[in-house]
Amino acid sequence: MGRLEFSKLPINTLVGASWDTFCKITQGREIDKGYRQKYLLTKCVCRLLSCLNGIENRRYRKRLAGQPIEHDPVFILGHWRSGTTFVHNVLSCDRQFGYNTTYQTVFPFLMQWGQPFFKKQMAALMPDRRPTDNMELQVDLPQEEEFALANMIPYTFYNFWFFPKYTMEYCDKYLLFEQASPEEIAVFRETFERLIRVSLWNTSGKIFLSKNPPHTGRIPQLLEMFPNARFVYLMRNPYTVFESTRSFFTNTIQPLKLEDISDEQLERNILEVYAKLYHKYERDKALIPEGNLIEVKFEDFEAEPYEMTKRIYETLSLDGFDAASPAIRKYLAGKKGYRKNRYDYKERTVRLVEEHWKFALDDWGYRL
């Protein structure tokens, strides 16, 4: 167990950002009174660590920048709390897949130099379980790459963790890319390719396995980069997703935010972002080539994870299931005693979901 409670971290994850990214994310934003000490400490550590970025950049240019990404990635899509982490962990048992690690999300510029030292310090401080759902949390485990991208460039949706009052602005610009400039999208693409190369090098994988809910709104851009990419889209009971997302965002945002936001506004943002992301995916999924998309209800995956994993491989024509099968079975066997959160839907939850997300209930056939 790490030494510090997640909710009481004295700094936030921007300590690992490039100095240019830190400055652009915080430029023009007001830091609320209760967060100024955290902001200043994060800023100081970021400025200090960013002095080392030149070493990483030189090594990247020498070792990896010119290497082609030989295989198009596999993307796990779906709204937050739709089961993407569990599916990601299962598929990552297959050693042909490379992925972004938890350490890499915080220190994307300390990968090819200094990783052993900084990883040890991070492991000593971080908790070994996610406070929101008791899932394991370790420095080398797979993690969603949006956290890493948020430290590499200022053009990501996860800026909302630091400045939650601007969530909908970040949503339209960097979650859906509907208001992002061509220059911003070009920087995003270049940076994402760098992240993939480093991830494959770091985990010795051949195919990048992505688990990143924000990518659900970026299918056109992902296909421009990787025309033969495969996609796994997860659906889950919207009542559960609402309750779980509200809990996840409320708890996770505490050590990251630099301004206050009311519970009511956070809730409104969740309702609106879900709707926008859902409809964007429904419009864009027709762009995915036939045979490269599988849509899965998480309840089905959770009930029969091994058989559903096999079905994912078969539907997407992915090789390697037989070779990965022993590792997948071993991982799943270790999860048999796992106690997940259970939700007793309150009347207000039912009303909000049915008022705002009825389209998902109808399209996917979920009922109480």
Side-chain angles (χ1 to χ4, degrees):
M1 183 70 177
R3 299 171 189 163
L4 299 177
E5 293 183 34
F6 184 74
S7 61
K8 297 179 181 179
L9 291 176
I11 54 179
N12 70 25
T13 54
L14 283 174
V15 291
S18 70
W19 182 241
D20 180 69
T21 296
F22 181 92
C23 292
K24 287 182 178 178
I25 289 175
T26 58
Q27 184 177 18
R29 301 300 193 216
E30 182 177 353
I31 310 300
D32 283 355
K33 184 177 180 180
Y35 306 97
R36 290 172 189 167
Q37 182 174 345
K38 174 174 286 190
Y39 165 76
L40 290 173
L41 183 56
T42 301
K43 182 179 181 179
C44 288
V45 176
C46 175
R47 189 69 185 99
L48 180 64
L49 292 179
S50 65
C51 295
L52 304 174
N53 289 2
I55 302 174
E56 178 76 15
N57 291 335
R58 286 192 295 272
R59 294 194 177 190
Y60 173 75
R61 288 193 296 268
K62 182 178 180 180
R63 292 177 176 175
L64 302 174
Q67 292 187 6
I69 299 173
E70 297 181 353
H71 304 279
D72 286 359
V74 174
F75 292 98
I76 301 170
L77 306 180
H79 191 274
W80 296 265
R81 316 308 299 151
S82 291
T84 55
T85 297
F86 184 39
V87 175
H88 194 210
N89 288 347
V90 173
L91 293 181
S92 67
C93 293
D94 186 341
R95 297 306 302 164
Q96 72 175 321
F97 290 125
Y99 45 80
N100 181 93
T101 66
T102 301
Y103 171 82
Q104 188 178 356
T105 63
V106 181
F107 298 112
F109 295 110
L110 292 170
M111 294 297 296
Q112 299 175 84
W113 184 88
Q115 182 174 171
F117 172 80
F118 289 102
K119 185 188 292 183
K120 184 177 180 179
Q121 309 313 310
M122 181 175 170
L125 293 174
M126 66 184 286
D128 58 6
R129 296 279 171 179
R130 291 198 315 200
T132 53
D133 56 10
N134 205 37
M135 287 288 286
E136 62 262 53
L137 188 64
Q138 298 176 26
V139 289
D140 286 321
L141 285 179
Q143 187 56 265
E144 60 191 70
E145 61 263 23
E146 195 78 4
F147 285 107
L149 291 169
N151 275 342
M152 299 174 80
I153 54 173
Y155 312 129
T156 75
F157 177 60
Y158 276 8
N159 294 345
F160 91 88
W161 291 118
F162 317 120
F163 299 103
K165 293 177 183 177
Y166 297 88
T167 295
M168 299 318 301
E169 176 184 329
Y170 296 136
C171 172
D172 293 337
K173 278 189 174 182
Y174 306 133
L175 177 62
L176 309 178
F177 278 158
E178 291 179 343
Q179 296 181 14
S181 69
E183 292 76 18
E184 289 172 334
I185 294 175
V187 171
F188 178 91
R189 291 177 55 162
E190 180 181 356
T191 305
F192 186 36
E193 288 181 356
R194 171 173 176 161
L195 180 146
I196 290 174
R197 291 189 182 98
V198 174
S199 298
L200 294 175
W201 165 83
N202 185 53
T203 56
S204 301
K206 297 188 300 180
I207 304 172
F208 183 66
L209 179 66
S210 164
K211 187 276 289 194
N212 199 45
H215 284 335
T216 309
R218 303 167 181 157
I219 289 174
Q221 290 77 24
L222 297 177
L223 287 173
E224 287 178 6
M225 298 172 67
F226 307 108
N228 196 40
R230 272 87 159 194
F231 297 86
V232 181
Y233 179 73
L234 288 167
M235 303 167 281
R236 192 181 188 185
N237 187 324
Y239 299 108
T240 300
V241 169
F242 176 75
E243 291 275 11
S244 188
T245 302
R246 182 173 58 188
S247 174
F248 174 59
F249 281 18
T250 300
N251 286 285
T252 302
I253 208 169
Q254 299 309 318
L256 303 180
K257 65 182 180 179
L258 297 172
E259 64 181 12
D260 285 315
I261 184 173
S262 68
D263 292 340
E264 293 75 18
Q265 184 60 60
L266 186 68
E267 192 174 80
R268 286 195 296 271
N269 290 342
I270 291 169
L271 291 168
E272 189 170 352
V273 168
Y274 181 100
K276 288 192 172 191
L277 193 62
Y278 177 96
H279 292 304
K280 182 71 161 52
Y281 168 78
E282 288 297 320
R283 290 195 303 270
D284 292 345
K285 69 179 183 180
L287 300 173
I288 300 173
E290 186 176 354
N292 285 7
L293 168 67
I294 181 171
E295 297 182 326
V296 177
K297 281 191 173 181
F298 179 64
E299 293 82 0
D300 295 337
F301 189 93
E302 190 176 40
E304 296 185 84
Y306 182 81
E307 292 301 323
M308 290 301 297
T309 300
K310 184 177 181 181
R311 182 183 163 199
I312 288 171
Y313 274 75
E314 292 173 348
T315 302
L316 300 181
S317 299
L318 290 171
D319 297 327
F321 180 77
D322 289 342
S325 178
I328 293 172
R329 286 189 183 277
K330 181 179 179 181
Y331 175 78
L332 293 175
K335 302 272 71 178
K336 287 185 177 179
Y338 171 69
R339 297 176 61 184
K340 65 175 185 176
N341 293 336
R342 298 190 179 279
Y343 298 94
D344 181 17
Y345 308 126
K346 297 179 181 178
E347 182 179 342
R348 184 169 178 275
T349 293
V350 174
R351 175 176 57 81
L352 286 173
V353 170
E354 292 180 351
E355 284 180 0
H356 295 272
W357 297 352
K358 185 176 183 297
F359 48 84
L361 294 171
D362 291 344
D363 290 351
W364 296 342
Y366 283 101
R367 290 292 180 268
L368 286 177

